[in-house]
């Protein structure tokens, strides 16, 4: 009963072993969207994608239809054990992870990744990764899980932008409607920023002009013009203000075609899968814990400890004050002893109760076994009597048949 030790004049040092690094998921597999029906579906585009960093090595493990076939009987109903087996198979096949970590489940059914090495140098980081092309990320309870990120609609042109001539009275009018605000912009010679050549306004210049005009017109939904630098700066596009699949963006107006758009064409926003950061854990070095008895600790209010009590040299007023502190400390020691005795008594009562319950349970089991044995004996006894009766009847039948043949033979004598 180390927890109830009241007094120990010496110190006890306990060595604490080094531990591995261990990352545990936030949610049990049974509570994740992937296993909400009891099993995960890998028969389609679903994919588990996890980023691992172990010490100085980093890699990504992916589980999808192509590599789950050998680990699961039914790809549409992959069990937790099959998922765990597939994860460990992929880890074993990874140059960066083989022999370094292993996957398992904790008592709560959460995924757990543990380093095989121990100590402060053992580190592991696990987080969700973006799915590969054509696949959808699956949440299996790691870190914050898989999140759907909404994107604003983007109106892409159907043809390259051709330099506009805004000289003289030439104007170009286009309307941008993002479902919240419809803004009509008319560009002319006065719209061009210096030192633009208004006879051949470039795409970068017209984008600046469009954005200035949108702001001036009070477009509150956040729509703006831009260029597609990843493809070609010869194209102009528009971004809507609101986000998500229900957001719309319509480009129209008499001169929409001059900017490269099909007039009246409407585009919707989209949703894209993104992921949240993972967990990082480190192992610990071996350490030690020093413990002392409760009453051997100096009391904060009296400055006295049981192991320090001495009254032989107490004299005068100072001695009286010290004696009062000693009496206070002794009273506290007595109270602690009574409390410990009460705790031990409560524990003893619980143990006695458990012993009584176990004794009753054993007796009940004994009676039940006896009843089962008696029932079996009665059944077997009944079967034996039936067999003995059948045997006697067979013997009597043979005896009658034998006596009949003797009677027939006597007629021929």
């Amino acid at each position: 009963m180390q927890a109830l030790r009241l007094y120990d004049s010496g110190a006890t040092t306990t060595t604490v072993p080094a531990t591995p690094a261990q990352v545990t998921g936030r949610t049990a597999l049974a509570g994740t969207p992937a296993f909400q029906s009891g099993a995960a579906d890998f028969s389609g585009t679903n994919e588990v994608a996890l980023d691992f960093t172990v010490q100085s090595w980093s890699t990504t493990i992916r589980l999808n239809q192509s590599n789950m076939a050998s680990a699961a009987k039914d790809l549409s109903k992959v069990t937790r054990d099959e998922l765990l087996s597939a994860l460990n198979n992929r880890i074993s096949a990874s140059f960066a992870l083989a022999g370094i970590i292993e996957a398992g489940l904790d008592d709560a059914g959460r995924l757990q990744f543990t380093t095989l090495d121990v100590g402060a140098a053992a580190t592991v980081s696990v987080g969700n990764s973006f799915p590969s092309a054509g696949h959808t990320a699956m949440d299996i309870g790691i870190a914050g899980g898989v999140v759907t990120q909404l994107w604003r609609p983007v109106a892409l042109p159907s043809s390259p932008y051709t330099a506009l001539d805004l000289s003289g009275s030439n104007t170009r009018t286009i309307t941008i409607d993002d479902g919240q605000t419809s803004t009509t912009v008319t560009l002319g010679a006065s719209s061009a920023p210096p030192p633009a050549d208004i006879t051949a306004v470039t795409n970068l210049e017209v984008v600046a002009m469009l954005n200035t005009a949108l702001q001036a017109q009070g477009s509150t939904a956040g729509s703006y013009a831009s260029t597609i630098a990843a493809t070609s700066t010869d194209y102009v596009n528009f971004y809507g203000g609101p986000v998500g699949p229900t957001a719309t963006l319509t480009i129209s107006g008499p001169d929409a075609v001059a900017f490269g758009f099909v007039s009246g064409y409407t585009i919707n926003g989209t949703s894209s899968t993104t992921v949240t950061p993972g967990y990082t854990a480190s192992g610990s070095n071996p350490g030690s814990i020093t413990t002392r008895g409760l009453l051997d600790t100096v009391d904060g209010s009296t400055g006295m400890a049981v192991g320090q009590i001495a009254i032989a040299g107490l004299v005068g007023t100072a001695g009286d004050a010290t004696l009062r502190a000693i009496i206070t400390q002794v009273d506290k020691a007595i109270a602690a002893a009574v409390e410990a005795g009460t705790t031990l008594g409560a524990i003893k009562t619980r143990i006695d109760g458990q012993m009584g319950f176990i004794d009753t349970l054993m007796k009940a089991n004994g009676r039940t076994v006896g009843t089962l044995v008696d029932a079996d004996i009665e059944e077997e006894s009944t079967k034996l009597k039936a067999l003995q009766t059948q045997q006697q009847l067979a013997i009597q039948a043979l005896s009658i048949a034998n006596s009949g043949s003797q009677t027939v033979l006597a007629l021929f004598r």
Side-chain angles (χ1 to χ4, degrees):
M1 302 296 293
Q2 185 75 8
L4 296 177
R5 184 181 61 182
L6 297 177
Y7 180 76
D8 183 1
S9 61
T12 301
T13 301
T14 303
T15 300
V16 179
T19 64
Q22 193 172 71
V23 167
T24 303
R26 80 188 192 287
T27 307
L29 281 178
T32 61
F35 284 86
Q36 61 182 354
S37 61
D41 185 3
F42 282 89
S43 61
T45 61
N46 285 338
E47 180 180 84
V48 171
L50 299 176
D51 286 331
F52 289 87
T53 300
V54 181
Q55 298 171 21
S56 60
W57 298 96
S58 297
T59 191
T60 300
I61 294 292
R62 300 183 185 276
L63 298 179
N64 49 42
Q65 184 182 27
S66 63
N67 55 33
M68 284 291 290
S70 59
K73 295 180 180 179
D74 184 351
L75 284 176
S76 64
K77 297 179 180 179
V78 176
T79 66
R80 295 187 307 168
D81 291 339
E82 289 174 335
L83 175 69
L84 193 61
S85 175
L87 274 173
N88 279 316
N89 288 341
R90 298 291 293 171
I91 289 172
S92 298
S94 169
F95 173 78
L97 304 178
I100 300 178
I101 66 168
E102 62 181 4
L105 296 176
D106 69 357
D107 294 338
R110 298 173 298 183
L111 270 177
Q112 196 170 64
F113 297 95
T114 306
T115 60
L116 301 180
D117 292 333
V118 297
T123 61
V124 58
S125 177
V126 182
N128 294 296
S129 181
F130 287 98
S132 54
H135 290 83
T136 302
M138 182 184 291
D139 181 7
I140 57 173
I142 298 297
V146 178
V147 180
T148 298
Q149 183 176 1
L150 303 178
W151 295 90
R152 64 178 69 207
V154 182
L156 301 177
S158 60
S159 59
Y161 168 81
T162 302
L164 296 179
D165 181 4
L166 298 180
S167 61
S169 60
N170 293 335
T171 59
R172 291 291 184 269
T173 301
I174 189 169
T175 300
I176 302 96
D177 185 348
D178 58 19
Q180 293 187 10
T181 303
S182 179
T183 305
T184 298
V185 175
T186 299
L187 301 181
S190 60
S191 305
D197 180 2
I198 59 175
T199 61
V201 179
T202 68
N203 63 320
L204 295 177
E205 291 169 339
V206 81
V207 163
M209 295 165 64
L210 287 168
N211 285 328
T212 300
L214 283 171
Q215 293 174 5
Q217 291 286 338
S219 176
T220 60
S223 301
Y224 64 94
S226 181
T227 58
I228 311 176
T231 305
S232 171
T233 54
D234 292 333
Y235 289 78
V236 173
N237 61 332
F238 285 94
Y239 287 84
V243 298
T246 60
T248 60
L249 181 62
T250 302
I251 306 300
S252 59
D255 298 309
V257 176
F259 292 89
F261 296 94
V262 175
S263 182
Y265 180 73
T266 300
I267 187 72
N268 286 87
T270 59
S271 61
S272 176
T273 300
T274 186
V275 295
T276 55
Y279 297 134
T280 300
S282 299
S284 66
N285 281 325
S288 63
I289 298 176
T290 301
T291 61
R292 296 181 67 89
L294 172 65
L295 300 182
D296 194 41
T297 302
V298 175
D299 182 79
S301 60
T302 66
M304 301 297 298
V306 172
Q308 299 174 344
I309 291 177
I311 62 174
L314 300 180
V315 293
T317 303
D320 292 341
T322 303
L323 185 59
R324 284 194 293 270
I326 291 173
I327 293 172
T328 300
Q329 184 64 12
V330 170
D331 288 340
K332 289 187 176 183
I334 293 172
V338 172
E339 183 180 357
T342 303
T343 304
L344 287 172
I347 293 173
K348 180 180 180 299
T349 301
R350 291 201 299 268
I351 293 174
D352 290 341
Q354 292 295 326
M355 290 177 63
F357 171 75
I358 293 172
D359 183 61
T360 302
L361 184 61
M362 290 177 64
K363 290 178 179 179
N365 287 339
R367 288 193 298 269
T368 303
V369 171
T371 302
L372 293 174
V373 171
D374 292 342
D376 291 341
I377 291 175
E378 291 176 359
E379 182 179 355
E380 296 301 327
S381 177
T382 302
K383 291 180 180 179
L384 178 60
K385 289 179 180 179
L387 290 173
Q388 289 175 343
T389 301
Q390 292 175 2
Q391 184 181 21
Q392 291 174 359
L393 290 174
I395 293 173
Q396 291 178 1
L398 290 173
S399 177
I400 293 172
N402 187 47
S403 63
S405 63
Q406 295 296 328
T407 303
V408 173
L409 290 175
L411 297 175
F412 292 97
R413 292 178 183 172

